Structures are given as C-alpha cells and as structure tokens.
Amino acid sequence: MNLTLVVGLFLLMLFLIGMIGIKLIKIPDILLYILLGLLLSIFIKESKVIEMAGEIGLVLLFFILGLKFPVNRLISNSAKVWKGGLLDAVLGIFVTAVISLLFGLDWVSSLIVGGIVYATSSSITAKLLEEKNRTDNKESEFMLLILIFEDLIAPILVTVLIGLSGKGLSATDFMIILLKIAILAGNAVFFAKVVFKRLESGLKEIINNDIFIVLITGIALTYGGIAMMLGLSEVIGALLAGMMLSELTIKEKVERAALPVRNIFLPFFFLNFGLHIELTSDIPYLGLLVVLVLWSLIHKLIVGYVGGQWYGLSRSYSLKAGLSLTQRGEFSVIIAALATGELKVFASIYILVIAFVGTILFQLAPGLKKLIVQKVKEKKS
C-alpha cells in the first residue's frame, strides 16, 4: 500500500468536507467527518492509520484544554462539581437501565444501554467549545469538570460491565483503578509544581526552535499513553499533561506549538468514529430508541440545570450548560462494543442520532437560553 498517497487523499477529502460544511451547508464539520467515516465504512472496516492519527488529534485536543486549567484551580473547583457528577451517573446509568428493563431488555443489557447513554462526548464537546469561542464562558468550566468526572467513572463502569458479561469482576479491580487514577493525578501535580517550574528557563531557550513542537507533542502523547497503559482513558492523561504545563509563563506559546499538529490530526478521530458505527436496514427496539433519545436530552438538561446551580452558576447559565451536554460519542462506542446482535445495531443507531441532535442543540444553546429566559421574564411580568 502507498501509505503516503492514502494519507494525502484522506487529508484532501477532509479539507473538501470541511469547506462544504463551512461555506455551503453551514453545519459543523464534525458531523460531516462522521458521515464521511460512515460512508467509507462500506469499503473500509478498520484502518490503523486513521485510528492512530485520530488518537494523536484527540490527545492534543485535551492537552490544549488542560493548559487552561491550572492545578490549584481544578482542585478548588472539583469540590463543587461532585454532586452534579453523581447526579449525572445516577440518571444516565441507573434510570436509563430501568427504562430499558421496562421495554423488555434483561438487566445486563439494560446496564449496557445505561452505560451507552451516560457519558457526554468529550471530543465533540471540547471541539465545539473551542470552535464557538466558548472555552472562557461561565458555564464551560462546569461542563469540562463534568466531562472529567465522567472520564473517571468510565473505566470503573467498563470493568463492572465486563464482569457482569461473565469476564470476571472483583472488589480488587475497583481498588486498583482508583489507585491508578490517584497515582496519575498525583504525579501530574508533582510535575506541575516542581519539575516543570525548574525546567521553565531551559524551555524558554528552545521555544522558537522546531524541537519545541516535538517536545510538546511528545509530552502530551506520552502521558496520554501512560494513562492507557494503566487501563484509563487517554483523555485523562492528555488533560493532566496540559495541566502540568498550565502554570508556566510560556503556556500560550506551548498552546501555539501544539495547535497546528492537533488541527492536522483531529479530523481523523471523527472519521474513525464514523467508521465504527454499525447500521442495518432494520431498526431494532424502535420504541426504546425514541424514548431514549428524548430521555438523553432530559437527562443532560437536568444535570446542567441542577448541577450547574450546585456548582454556583446562575439559572440561565446552568440551562445553557444542560443544552450543551447532550451529544454522546466515543465512550458510548466503547460500551457498545460489549453489546451483541440487535443490541449492538441499536446502540450504533442511537449514538449516530444523539451525536447529530446533540451537536445541533449545542449550536442552538445560546439562542435557546436567551429565548427561554425572555419567555420566563414575560410570564412573570
């Protein structure tokens, strides 16, 4: 295979799709990349090149987000988000499982569906926050902390579901996962407060050299890879890697170094996302699908509105957060891999539908917030 030609053609396709989205039909390029992946899945069942390129883009996306969250700020705000995170888990996993049981699924399948419905797509949400210049908005920090909470719950949930599927589960597994998270986070704090503070003067000397880009990309990928080696999400590792450099005076230059690399590779992640969606001509559990799409929107609206106010946001910004958290994505795909037969097809259709609905709702969230607030004021007056 001529790998150079393949990569070049993929980049040109992604460029054309992006231009169509920006100039012609005015919808997010993310959705078009997913659709392109879905179309290509007819011809390509799996591609390690696309998968690896996508991983690099995803890691750098969260590395750059981590740069915006100094360690002290994250620690102080984490205490305010745990109640919203817990509410999110209860509604997303357990209430969804009860709904699935009422539609005739067995309890293990119902919990798998609960896992699929639970987590907001970290990649889609982070990309949209940046594209729409909302990373510094009041509700964005709360939203990102909810995503982090979900990414911490994710490996625990996967362990439980694998165990319930008959592959073994013990209390020791839980303790090991919690220990891994603590080690990863503690190490990040040490590097942020001690190691990189001492290395900053040396970093300033190479900041304008090409090797600086290599160093920054290497740090992000290495810590993301360490997280994966520990059985955790690479997203958590990448975010912590960004936080390690977030207290440096040169963090803006670090971000500028990482941006071009991220921008080249990130579209491949959404392309790969589309490649792994499985569809058939028949839609299994159609009634459950409709109910769960509606419940998915209600679930995240409750988490945003109630959890946002617990966090300290106003009602209007909490509402905006809820409207912006409804898209599901990569974690749902991971959980869906545990399903079989009709349930796996159902999961693929659900993920595709809610990714599109959620992305569009994110776009409309600021306008909907203003409209709802205005209607409430008119009703009161």
Side-chain angles (χ1 to χ4, degrees), residues 174-362:
F174 288 107
M175 297 306 297
I176 290 173
I177 288 172
L178 293 175
L179 180 62
K180 288 175 180 178
I181 292 170
I183 291 171
L184 199 68
N187 192 56
V189 172
F190 173 73
F191 269 78
K193 296 293 187 182
V194 180
V195 178
F196 284 113
K197 284 287 186 182
R198 293 181 179 177
L199 292 175
E200 184 166 12
S201 59
L203 292 174
K204 287 179 179 177
E205 293 178 7
I206 62 168
I207 205 164
N208 295 316
N209 294 337
D210 291 342
I211 58 169
F212 187 68
I213 298 175
V214 177
L215 173 65
I216 295 305
T217 306
I219 290 170
L221 292 175
T222 299
Y223 216 67
I226 290 171
M228 291 181 72
M229 188 174 66
L230 293 173
L232 304 174
S233 168
E234 71 272 36
V235 164
I236 286 293
L239 194 82
L240 289 171
M243 287 169 53
M244 288 192 292
L245 301 175
S246 64
E247 298 188 18
L248 299 180
T249 58
I250 58 168
K251 70 175 183 179
E252 288 81 9
K253 293 185 178 180
V254 171
E255 181 176 350
R256 282 203 296 271
L259 269 172
V261 186
R262 187 210 64 182
N263 291 341
I264 290 173
F265 288 107
L266 188 58
F268 285 97
F269 176 81
F270 299 104
L271 186 67
N272 190 57
F273 182 88
L275 282 175
H276 287 83
I277 293 175
E278 296 183 23
L279 299 178
T280 62
S281 56
D282 298 322
I283 302 176
Y285 310 115
L286 180 59
L288 178 61
L289 177 66
V290 174
V291 170
L292 285 186
V293 168
L294 292 173
W295 165 242
S296 298
L297 301 178
I298 295 167
H299 158 214
K300 293 300 181 181
L301 276 170
I302 294 171
V303 171
Y305 190 71
V306 177
Q309 290 180 73
W310 285 342
Y311 184 76
L313 297 175
S314 66
R315 289 182 179 181
S316 62
Y317 281 104
S318 297
L319 175 64
K320 188 178 174 185
L323 291 166
S324 304
L325 284 169
T326 57
Q327 54 281 351
R328 271 55 163 196
E330 63 282 350
F331 178 60
S332 300
V333 173
I334 293 169
I335 296 291
L338 300 175
T340 56
E342 286 189 334
L343 188 62
K344 192 166 189 176
V345 175
F346 164 83
S348 296
I349 296 170
Y350 165 81
I351 293 165
L352 183 63
V353 170
I354 201 63
F356 271 73
V357 172
T359 301
I360 292 166
L361 195 56
F362 185 104

